[in-house]
């Protein structure tokens, strides 16, 4: 069991496993949009943002691109979310000057590229997760 994350950019599908910073970013976006849900959140037995499809606009994708490039996705914890999505210095401390590894960077950047293409074609871009 763990945080499984999916995005669709038109017909392309993206998958991440335990990329908790991206999930936290998406949850903050969902909250800023008024927690849209196809149904009643109180009827969602899995929790507020679990298994919720979030549609992304071009502005959302561009904001995400900036945060990915600046490595400023929010640190996010959860029981099934795993360790930090970024690997920090040898002491394990979050020091933005000593970021050693951003494991999901290639997938994140590829998603941004494909999301821009899909939105330019008028296609839908969505994110969802299951944990």
């Amino acid at each position: 069991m763990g945080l499984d994350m999916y995005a669709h950019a038109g017909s392309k599908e993206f998958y991440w496993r335990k990329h908790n910073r991206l999930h936290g970013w998406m949850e903050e976006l969902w909250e800023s949009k008024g927690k849209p849900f196809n149904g009643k959140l109180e009827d969602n037995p899995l929790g507020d943002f679990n298994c919720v499809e979030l549609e992304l606009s071009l502005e959302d994708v561009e904001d995400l691109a900036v945060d990915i490039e600046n490595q400023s996705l929010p640190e996010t914890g959860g029981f099934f979310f795993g360790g930090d999505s970024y690997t920090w210095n040898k002491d394990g401390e979050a020091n933005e000057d000593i970021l050693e590894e951003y494991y999901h960077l290639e997938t994140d950047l590829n998603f941004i590229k494909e999301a821009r293409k899909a939105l330019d074609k008028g296609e839908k871009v969505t994110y969802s997760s299951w944990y």
Side-chain angles (χ1 to χ4, degrees), residues 6-14 16 53 111 115 118 124-128:
Y6 307 89
H8 291 87
S11 62
K12 303 236 179 192
E13 181 176 86
F14 293 83
W16 298 266
E53 183 177 272
F111 168 67
K124 195 172 174 180
V125 175
T126 61
Y127 169 85
S128 65

Side-chain angles (χ1 to χ4, degrees), residues 80-96:
F80 296 113
F81 290 14
D84 193 348
S85 295
Y86 298 160
T87 301
W88 298 100
N89 64 13
K90 64 182 173 165
D91 299 323
E93 296 176 9
N95 180 335
E96 293 180 17

